[in-house]
Amino acid sequence: MTENCNLKCRYCYEGQEKGKRKFAISNITALISFIEREILESAKKEDKVIISFHGGEPLLELKMMKNIISDLDKISAKRNISIVYEVTTNGNVNEMEFLEYIKNREDFRISVSLDGKKEINDLFRMTKCGESSFDKAFWFAKQLLKTKKYPRIRMTLTPEMVEYLYENITFFIKEGFEMIVTVPDFFDKKWEQWHLVKIEEQLYKIYGYCRDISTEPQISLLDQTSYLKKVGRCFGGITEINIGCDGLLYPCTYTVNNMKYCIGNIWTGVDRVKEKKLLTLYEKNNEECFGCGLESACICTRCKFLNEAITGNCTAPVPIICGFMNVFYRFFRNVNTNSLKIIKQ
């Protein structure tokens, strides 16, 4: 939707100084035609097509988003194909208008970026003026709960936040949120071994808390399938396509604006030659991972673009991810989370 953002989060992998580009209104017709031609046309009636609005902060361009959805709704009805719309927002802009817009819709999955209690969240998530972002975002998330939209809380985990992990997750559970996804910031260069030790301690505390309460919160950190299930190969660019503000196509959010991995555009479609090259890339093995018992479940095996974004080499595993995998392997080996509901990241 846009590269711009109204916040200035310290850990943002897109950098501190955001671009100002946004998707051009004049290109919406081409965008809708591309989606219908390349995606909806190949979908079966039983398929569910997911359209995700990404940023920057997508709600900065709420008017454009509504126009795009209006066109897609018509195509969805015509082809009898279900579309689910996903939005991840910081909840600090156009929140009232968005709440009114989705009030009578049941086809939205909404994630609100909040990292914990106010004093912890505001260590990293602040406005461009350096002010708190918590109050608006938390109010927005609570309004979604009240209207039974059941938002997903998306927490970024940095090394500085490790010791507050249990405190933050239980805070959201006590406030009524039952879908909490924690995403480690693997781009942070400050990770050390003691952080992993601390995470393991926090996991047992979170598990104990969730086991003993009457509700059944969905906590990604307690999801065995996120860490121990065989991941398979990536199909970015085949089953998932990311569209940049300029209408160019990419296989993954990590590759947007990297022309090395551009696979086409909304006017002429996907370049099938480049698509085949992606499949060759996905088949490459990480030689360093040979002999590791967790290789088949590790995201470093699957996500070549994440490897390259962090290490500069698509087949070089990210050391901190290896550490995380070992922590979760030990944790799930020692506890039984089968009684808890689980969700994927």
Side-chain angles (χ1 to χ4, degrees), residues 6 28 33 51 75 122 154 187 196 217 222 249 283 313:
N6 54 313
I28 289 180
S33 296
I51 305 291
I75 297 171
D122 290 345
R154 187 196 184 281
F187 288 84
L196 298 175
L222 301 182
L249 310 177
E283 290 298 322
N313 184 340

Side-chain angles (χ1 to χ4, degrees), residues 180-241:
I180 304 166
V181 171
T182 304
V183 183
D185 178 11
F186 294 127
F187 288 84
D188 197 307
K189 299 183 184 303
K190 296 187 295 293
W191 287 107
E192 296 182 15
Q193 183 61 36
W194 74 267
H195 292 120
L196 298 175
V197 174
K198 196 69 177 179
I199 286 173
E200 195 162 0
E201 294 173 0
Q202 298 278 299
L203 283 174
Y204 284 104
K205 290 179 67 176
I206 296 166
Y207 169 72
Y209 179 86
C210 292
R211 180 192 56 199
D212 296 337
I213 60 178
S214 58
T215 57
E216 294 183 315
Q218 302 178 46
I219 312 298
S220 66
L221 291 176
L222 301 182
D223 178 7
Q224 294 188 55
T225 63
S226 289
Y227 297 95
L228 299 184
K229 183 180 178 181
K230 186 175 180 179
V231 293
R233 300 296 184 182
C234 177
F235 287 98
I238 291 89
T239 59
E240 172 187 335
I241 295 174

Side-chain angles (χ1 to χ4, degrees), residues 12 23 43 46 59 78 84 100-101 103 105 113 126 130 143 177 199 208 231 233 254 259 296 302 305 310 338:
C12 184
F23 197 85
E46 65 269 19
L59 293 194
K78 181 178 71 174
V84 174
E100 180 64 25
Y101 174 62
K103 182 170 62 176
R105 299 192 67 116
S113 296
M126 67 287 293
Q143 291 302 119
F177 299 99
I199 286 173
V231 293
R233 300 296 184 182
Y254 293 125
M259 290 304 297
S296 63
R302 176 181 176 84
F305 301 124
I310 297 177
N338 291 334

Side-chain angles (χ1 to χ4, degrees), residues 235-253:
F235 287 98
I238 291 89
T239 59
E240 172 187 335
I241 295 174
N242 290 261
I243 304 172
C245 290
D246 50 9
L248 299 184
L249 310 177
Y250 302 89
C252 173
T253 54

Side-chain angles (χ1 to χ4, degrees), residues 74-325:
K74 295 171 186 174
I75 297 171
S76 172
K78 181 178 71 174
R79 293 185 175 274
N80 194 26
I81 292 173
S82 175
I83 298 180
V84 174
Y85 301 103
E86 293 185 338
V87 178
T88 299
T89 175
N90 59 45
N92 270 251
V93 62
N94 292 329
E95 61 273 15
M96 292 290 290
E97 183 182 350
F98 183 68
L99 286 168
E100 180 64 25
Y101 174 62
I102 64 170
K103 182 170 62 176
N104 297 316
R105 299 192 67 116
E106 301 296 331
D107 51 359
F108 267 82
R109 294 176 185 168
I110 304 161
S111 296
V112 182
S113 296
L114 277 163
D115 289 345
K117 299 168 69 174
K118 180 181 175 71
E119 60 270 26
I120 300 171
N121 177 84
D122 290 345
L123 289 173
F124 291 88
R125 301 187 60 79
M126 67 287 293
T127 68
K128 290 182 176 179
C129 298
E131 298 174 348
S132 169
S133 70
F134 177 85
D135 292 336
K136 268 192 170 184
F138 189 69
W139 177 87
F140 174 70
K142 292 289 279 190
Q143 291 302 119
L144 289 169
L145 268 186
K146 288 180 182 178
T147 55
K148 297 185 178 181
K149 297 303 180 184
Y150 305 112
R152 184 178 82 154
I153 298 297
R154 187 196 184 281
M155 295 173 52
T156 297
L157 180 64
T158 67
E160 294 90 341
M161 292 183 183
V162 165
E163 60 183 308
Y164 307 111
L165 187 56
Y166 167 82
E167 183 180 348
N168 286 332
I169 287 180
T170 55
F171 164 75
F172 286 121
I173 294 174
K174 291 172 183 176
E175 289 290 340
F177 299 99
E178 295 191 351
M179 299 178 65
I180 304 166
V181 171
T182 304
V183 183
D185 178 11
F186 294 127
F187 288 84
D188 197 307
K189 299 183 184 303
K190 296 187 295 293
W191 287 107
E192 296 182 15
Q193 183 61 36
W194 74 267
H195 292 120
L196 298 175
V197 174
K198 196 69 177 179
I199 286 173
E200 195 162 0
E201 294 173 0
Q202 298 278 299
L203 283 174
Y204 284 104
K205 290 179 67 176
I206 296 166
Y207 169 72
Y209 179 86
C210 292
R211 180 192 56 199
D212 296 337
I213 60 178
S214 58
T215 57
E216 294 183 315
Q218 302 178 46
I219 312 298
S220 66
L221 291 176
L222 301 182
D223 178 7
Q224 294 188 55
T225 63
S226 289
Y227 297 95
L228 299 184
K229 183 180 178 181
K230 186 175 180 179
V231 293
R233 300 296 184 182
C234 177
F235 287 98
I238 291 89
T239 59
E240 172 187 335
I241 295 174
N242 290 261
I243 304 172
C245 290
D246 50 9
L248 299 184
L249 310 177
Y250 302 89
C252 173
T253 54
Y254 293 125
T255 63
V256 173
N257 294 332
N258 183 345
M259 290 304 297
K260 175 181 176 181
Y261 292 116
C262 177
I263 57 171
N265 59 68
I266 58 175
W267 297 276
T268 60
V270 176
D271 184 322
R272 300 306 172 187
V273 174
K274 292 182 178 179
E275 184 182 65
K276 289 181 179 179
K277 288 182 179 180
L278 286 177
L279 292 172
T280 301
L281 172 65
Y282 300 152
E283 290 298 322
K284 289 185 177 181
N285 294 313
N286 302 344
E287 293 185 7
E288 290 183 49
C289 299
F290 288 160
C292 173
L294 302 177
E295 178 186 0
S296 63
C298 184
I299 60 173
C300 288
T301 301
R302 176 181 176 84
C303 193
K304 306 300 183 186
F305 301 124
L306 178 61
N307 292 345
E308 181 167 324
I310 297 177
T311 70
N313 184 340
C314 66
T315 60
V318 181
I320 189 58
I321 294 180
C322 298
F324 267 81
M325 289 299 297

